[in-house]
């Protein structure tokens, strides 16, 4: 798989920040974060197998989530900051198949 493009990472961070701003402007009381899961029988699974898509690393996801949480007003509740998927459909990231606290699970 190719190494992450730093320009793409900066653009993604700006997009996430812009999206957070738009969501906060709607007047929400709570938010949920959900990492992208690569699941079987999808176009993304095909791209991942060919090395055309590289999911965020655990550190990358934590950095992204922390940035969003830090930018969120204290009165907004985060109901979830990660999620799991069934092992029988999940291809990546492997940490998403760990029950309980996958973000904190050891690799």
């Amino acid at each position: 798989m190719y190494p992450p493009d730093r320009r793409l990472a900066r653009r993604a961070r700006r997009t996430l920040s812009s999206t957070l701003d738009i969501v906060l402007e709607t007047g929400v009381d709570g938010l949920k974060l959900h990492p992208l899961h690569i699941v079987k029988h999808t176009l993304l699974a095909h791209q991942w197998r060919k090395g055309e898509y590289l999911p965020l690393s655990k550190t990358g996801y934590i950095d992204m989530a922390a940035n969003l949480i830090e930018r969120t007003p204290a009165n907004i509740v985060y109901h979830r900051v990660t999620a799991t998927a069934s092992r029988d459909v999940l291809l990546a990231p492997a940490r998403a198949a760990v029950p309980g606290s996958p973000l904190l699970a050891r690799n």
Side-chain angles (χ1 to χ4, degrees), residues 48-99:
W48 174 73
R49 282 188 181 106
K50 288 175 44 181
E52 296 173 355
Y53 175 77
L54 181 65
L56 275 176
S57 67
K58 182 177 178 179
T59 301
Y61 184 78
I62 291 170
D63 289 347
M64 180 273 310
N67 179 268
L68 292 175
I69 293 167
E70 287 173 352
R71 294 189 60 248
T72 303
N75 63 311
I76 305 296
V77 175
Y78 271 86
H79 300 283
R80 175 190 308 144
V81 295
T82 191
T84 60
S86 174
R87 290 181 196 272
D88 59 338
V89 297
L90 181 71
L91 296 173
R95 67 182 175 277
V98 178

Side-chain angles (χ1 to χ4, degrees), residues 7-86:
R7 289 174 293 155
L8 183 59
R10 283 193 299 270
R11 189 172 356 151
R13 187 175 290 262
R14 284 194 306 270
T15 300
L16 287 170
S17 293
S18 297
T19 301
L20 177 64
D21 292 340
I22 292 166
V23 169
L24 292 174
E25 287 174 12
T26 68
V28 297
D29 296 318
L31 297 168
K32 293 180 181 181
L33 296 182
H34 193 299
L36 180 62
H37 294 162
I38 302 169
V39 295
K40 294 178 181 176
H41 311 298
T42 64
L43 176 60
L44 185 58
H46 178 71
Q47 292 170 325
W48 174 73
R49 282 188 181 106
K50 288 175 44 181
E52 296 173 355
Y53 175 77
L54 181 65
L56 275 176
S57 67
K58 182 177 178 179
T59 301
Y61 184 78
I62 291 170
D63 289 347
M64 180 273 310
N67 179 268
L68 292 175
I69 293 167
E70 287 173 352
R71 294 189 60 248
T72 303
N75 63 311
I76 305 296
V77 175
Y78 271 86
H79 300 283
R80 175 190 308 144
V81 295
T82 191
T84 60
S86 174

